[in-house]
Amino acid sequence: MASAQTLPFFLWVVILIAPLLTTPSKTQSPAPGEIFSRGFTAANLSFGGGAEVLQNGILRLTNDSLRALGHAFYSSPVRFKNPSGGRAASFSTAFAFSIVPQYPSLGGHGFTFAISRSRELPGALPSQYLGLMNSSDLGNFSNHIFAVEFDTVQDYDFADINDNHIGVDINSLASNKSVTAGIFAENNSTLKEIYLKSGAVIQAWVDYDSLKNQLDVRISKSSVKPTRAVLSFNVDLSEVFEDYMFVGFTASTGLLASCHYIMGWSFSINGQAKSLDLSSLPSLPSSDGNGHKGLILGVSFSASAAMILLASVAFYIVRKTWNSDVIEPWELEVGPHRFPYEELRKATHGFRDKELLGFGGFGRVYRGILPNSNTQVAVKRILNGSKQGLQDFVSEVSTIGRLRHRNLVQLLGWCRRRSDLLLVYDFMPNGSLDKYLFDEPKSILSWEQRFKIIKGVASGLLYLHEEWEQAVIHRDIKAANVLLDAELNGRLGDFGLAKLYEHGANPTTTRVVGTLGYLAPELTKTGKPTTASDVFAFGALLLEVVCGRRPVEQKALPEELILVDWVWEKWTLGSILEVVDPRLGGQFNEVEAVMLLKLGLICSNSSPQIRPSTRQVVRYLEGELVLPEKALPPDGNYDIKKGSGGGTGLDDCTHSYRSSSYYDKVTMWSSTMDEGDHDLEAGLTSPASGSSISDCR
């Protein structure tokens, strides 16, 4: 028996379902203005993936499982053209939806209203593909797919504008047009943003006028259709639509999940769809911690059976609480995904040594396979003795976890078990870049691969410095922290030392941390990390990749080799190409090599004012800007042999890594997996000044 709460919904279905009794067959044409209202029952919908209808009639496309997809199309095809072909018909639809993220404000990934030649969508993928397409069929005219996406994740592969947008997709998921989700105030051009993943019930209207070739999309949290569209797009869908098409919805989740609900739906060919009365729709299911499945059971219990059930549930909860960690209130505010400890223990086979990828000052890193999705991950297990407070560290992780860029290693989630902290990252099958450059590399990277890696890291660094909502200073850029994915794309990782600032803010003084050979000289004086100090480290990385040598080397020569000085000396002698990694066998682009070496020298300048900005670096690498004709020496002032302009000579020039005795005694503390990392907080003394590095705050 239907409850009083759900009865209005079923009345609405009964009233509007009548036209379905006379739905035209495939040989019939819908009459102008005829309304097709889709009552959500299994009888008139075709499902795929995890889509299902809950007991009260709500269509749920996905639950809060990771990397899931779901779609539901009306079972019968709808005629969009006359038998002779020609212009596509006008259509109108209204539907009410709700996106309930597993964790507040961290949605994934979104849903679409879709019109497709097929109701099966073979090969469709989850995550950024929204359960609609896959990587091999993007952009194919043969797809015959039209969709309006309601996207809650910013995907850079598809040039998404933000993580709260509406887009028009034609045969691809790179939107033809997209806008921030919102509503225009009456008689006002001000857009009021509506957050799609807020969990609120939102009504959407999609109207296509085939005579004007105009598509309009509107959304509102009310039952009243806004007068002004939030998205208008001029398009002729005649080439997209075939005579008959299927109409419905798709959705997906990724490494973060949301439940995607459709509460009600009306659709019309050559007419206006009826707006929905939101107050008459059923209520969303309450969360029970297991994917909102509580309403599906629909079982009536006697009083005695209910008592038994309650006793069993209470026993289960007590037992689980006894065997698990107590979650403190502050942890509920932390994102991204919080993994159960048992899941990560199983993924790494009990953190056994066979799965160990590396270790360093923070802890050990293990390879793992998540049991529920067979996804490979890297799990960093933080040592108990870490000096950083657990709550402070997790708060920082909460921010870093929101970074999204194809050239950054993605932080997928975390876990706390008593005093242990575990961080879960994308698994990079080809390991770190340094394994391909130094000592006895596992294989030799070609010139083309090296150039692509450099450009990728620069793009990721630009995102950190200028394109995210805050400025992120990485503070530990080096070859060991550049990881390579399956296609040998470079991804900057390990944000254990990163600092965040508001754009335009003055960085605060902090302890000097980083790795010897990559530290900008001004850091030991000011203790203030900046984007310019990151650029200095990037310059060292540039020279590493081109030369195949470390910034500081002691093994091959009686005296240490300072890479930037050696490259500058070869430059002044006119033999710059001699520094290119000999393992390339001369197979490299000389013009690109000279450009990278010159850029490396400029980035390595001891004066932060002379170094280029990260955006300039990217433009140099893309060929949009031409480098200065002359390369400046690393200190911007001295002559290679005797000094000039009142400056010091080569032997007197101090870099952050210049003193061999200092190098012998100090290894900079780092969050990487280098063996023997230490924290300079203890106050090791520089022989040059007699002052402790930890005094620079």
Side-chain angles (χ1 to χ4, degrees), residues 411-625:
L411 175 65
L412 307 179
W414 65 289
C415 170
R416 184 182 75 91
R417 183 175 182 266
R418 300 186 182 95
S419 59
D420 288 343
L421 180 70
L422 297 98
L423 303 178
V424 184
Y425 294 91
D426 276 338
F427 176 72
M428 297 289 110
N430 283 308
S432 57
L433 176 60
D434 61 330
K435 303 299 190 297
Y436 293 82
L437 296 178
F438 312 131
D439 304 324
E440 297 180 4
K442 56 175 69 176
S443 65
I444 306 301
L445 295 173
S446 69
W447 178 257
E448 291 75 16
Q449 289 169 332
R450 298 182 192 217
F451 196 72
K452 181 177 75 168
I453 290 168
I454 281 295
K455 290 172 67 175
V457 174
S459 178
L461 193 60
L462 175 62
Y463 169 78
L464 294 178
H465 286 180
E466 298 185 23
E467 296 178 345
W468 196 55
E469 61 190 58
Q470 291 179 287
V472 182
I473 313 299
H474 187 277
R475 298 209 297 170
D476 203 19
I477 298 167
K478 60 181 178 181
N481 284 343
V482 175
L483 301 182
L484 305 179
D485 62 18
E487 288 76 38
L488 290 174
N489 295 302
R491 298 194 182 201
L492 186 58
D494 207 328
F495 291 85
L497 302 183
K499 289 295 180 184
L500 288 79
Y501 302 100
E502 297 299 326
H503 288 289
N506 185 29
T508 57
T509 302
T510 182
R511 70 176 185 266
V512 179
V513 293
T515 302
L516 203 64
Y518 304 86
L519 284 171
E522 68 270 13
L523 284 174
T524 57
K525 300 176 183 177
T526 67
K528 294 184 178 182
T530 63
T531 56
S533 57
D534 269 0
V535 169
F536 182 93
F538 181 78
L541 175 67
L542 269 173
L543 299 182
E544 283 182 303
V545 173
V546 177
C547 303
R549 308 188 72 155
R550 302 180 191 275
V552 180
E553 289 188 355
Q554 290 185 305
K555 292 185 290 185
L557 300 171
E559 296 182 359
E560 66 188 11
L561 180 139
I562 308 301
L563 183 58
V564 66
D565 290 346
W566 180 60
V567 172
W568 172 247
E569 184 172 5
K570 292 293 186 181
W571 182 280
T572 60
L573 295 175
S575 52
I576 186 61
L577 293 180
E578 291 181 8
V579 307
V580 177
D581 192 344
R583 285 170 291 201
L584 287 169
Q587 300 298 310
F588 61 90
N589 185 309
E590 294 186 0
V591 174
E592 290 178 348
V594 171
M595 184 270 290
L596 289 184
L597 290 166
K598 183 188 290 189
L599 182 57
L601 289 173
I602 296 174
C603 291
S604 299
N605 197 279
S606 62
S607 173
Q609 291 79 17
I610 294 177
R611 296 171 210 152
S613 68
T614 318
R615 185 170 296 280
Q616 287 174 315
V617 168
V618 171
R619 296 189 68 187
Y620 287 138
L621 294 173
E622 295 293 343
E624 298 175 5
L625 290 179

Side-chain angles (χ1 to χ4, degrees), residues 255 336-340 343-344 347-348 351 365-366 368-370 375-382 397 401 409-415 421-427:
L255 293 168
H337 180 57
R338 191 184 200 274
F339 286 91
E343 183 177 0
L344 298 184
T348 58
F351 301 100
V365 181
Y366 298 86
I369 300 179
L370 297 178
T375 302
Q376 283 199 88
V377 294
V379 181
K380 180 182 288 188
R381 193 175 190 183
I382 308 301
V397 166
V409 178
Q410 180 64 49
L411 175 65
L412 307 179
W414 65 289
C415 170
L421 180 70
L422 297 98
L423 303 178
V424 184
Y425 294 91
D426 276 338
F427 176 72

